Amino acid sequence: MYSFLILVLSLFPLAANALTVYSYRHYESDQRLFELFTQKTGIPVKIVKAKADTLLERLKAEGMNSNADVLITSDASRLAAADRADLLQPVESLLLRERVPAHLRDPDNKWFGFTQRARVLVYHPDRVRPSELSTYEALAEPKWRGRLLVRSSSNVYNQSLMAAMIVANGPESALAWARGLVANMARPPQGSDRDQMRAVAKGLADVAIVNTYYLGLLQNSSLSADREVAEKLKIFFPNQAGRGTHINISGAGVTKSSRQPEQAVQLLEFLVSAQAQATFPAATYEYSVLKDAPLSKLHANWGAFKADSMPLSLLGENNVAAVKLLNKAGWR
Ligand code: FE2
């Protein structure tokens, strides 16, 4: 009887089994998107939210017994780390390959970007003229001594920026650059990207390195103090005359343990649908990954820019080297 039951269950898998998503993203708009996905497909979505490292550790510990079907996290380097730990399975989807530009996804189809963000400079226009700004590299020049703010190198965004510097300029040059930045910092790294902007607005420094959507979050904050911070600052996209501004993604992959990978792929495909892509710029101030997507009003306000087209898989490949050099440079 028991074996008969198992046979029946395996012959008729339930169509409406819930997908479990492990997500580092904590946006209500994601929740609404998943609800829309359920309306369209009849597939319920269960979200488990935690910090990225916690999710990775949990996936590792659970192994093939994990209930997770999809992993969502920010930064290509984290997705690459999940792949290195053998937690993701390759996905065959022509739609994903067509919609997500090659540099924003894994060459082995283990993860796909579904939003983009740029790591930019914000500056105080009373103390900096935009003509003084040019590249990430130029921030290491002595003229910026005591005028620069950036968060800790324990943060993956800076590790990925450093990885990009290694890819673009080589490890020696990247190390010299990081040393120059450390020498120019107005204070030892502390706080978040938003804290760096708050400090520049307060006059603690003149330029900060931050992700674009954090500026969007300040500009649209429910707190007037944060909106005032954003009003005082200007945005600058570095390296426009060269390789372009460093970008990164939020991305998703199907877990190796998933027992319903086809439905999981459906969810990934939904995330790059025109409908989902239109919501991200408005809801989270991230950029669409779709080629030729129109800029939102806010993004048009910041200005169109040339994004670095370096394959983001290189950020993961160079993460260990980046961390080592950041430590060597004394970037806390
Ligand atoms: Fe972030």
Side-chain angles (χ1 to χ4, degrees), residues 24 26-27 74 78 117 119 151 155-157 193-194 211 213-214 217 250 286:
Y24 171 56
H26 34 255
Y27 297 113
S74 60
R78 286 196 185 119
R117 59 279 297 282
R119 198 143 179 79
R151 75 197 297 179
N155 181 270
V156 73
Y157 303 146
D193 277 10
R194 272 176 278 194
N211 282 357
Y213 54 92
Y214 288 120
L217 286 169
S250 269
E286 295 168 288

Side-chain angles (χ1 to χ4, degrees), residues 316-332:
E317 284 173 30
N318 286 278
N319 180 267
V320 170
V323 170
K324 210 179 268 176
L325 292 179
L326 286 165
N327 286 334
K328 207 168 175 183
W331 184 333
R332 281 203 231 157

Side-chain angles (χ1 to χ4, degrees), residues 75-77 79 96-109 111-117 243-251 287-292 305-317:
D75 207 289
S77 184
L79 290 158
L96 283 171
R97 269 188 287 137
E98 277 175 356
R99 295 208 143 214
V100 182
H103 66 290
L104 303 182
R105 51 181 162 85
D106 174 45
D108 299 323
N109 298 315
W111 49 262
F112 300 82
F114 63 86
T115 69
Q116 302 186 66
R117 59 279 297 282
R243 65 183 181 274
T245 298
H246 172 68
I247 52 153
N248 212 312
I249 51 165
S250 269
Y287 293 95
S288 166
V289 293
L290 301 183
K291 219 177 147 224
D292 306 322
F305 70 100
K306 176 185 176 184
D308 192 345
S309 59
M310 172 185 297
L312 295 190
S313 55
L314 292 176
L315 304 182
E317 284 173 30

Side-chain angles (χ1 to χ4, degrees), residues 131-150:
S131 60
E132 293 177 276
L133 297 168
S134 57
T135 60
Y136 300 108
E137 284 83 349
L139 291 176
E141 289 167 8
K143 77 167 276 189
W144 297 106
R145 193 75 22 113
R147 302 172 67 190
L148 191 69
L149 281 182
V150 60

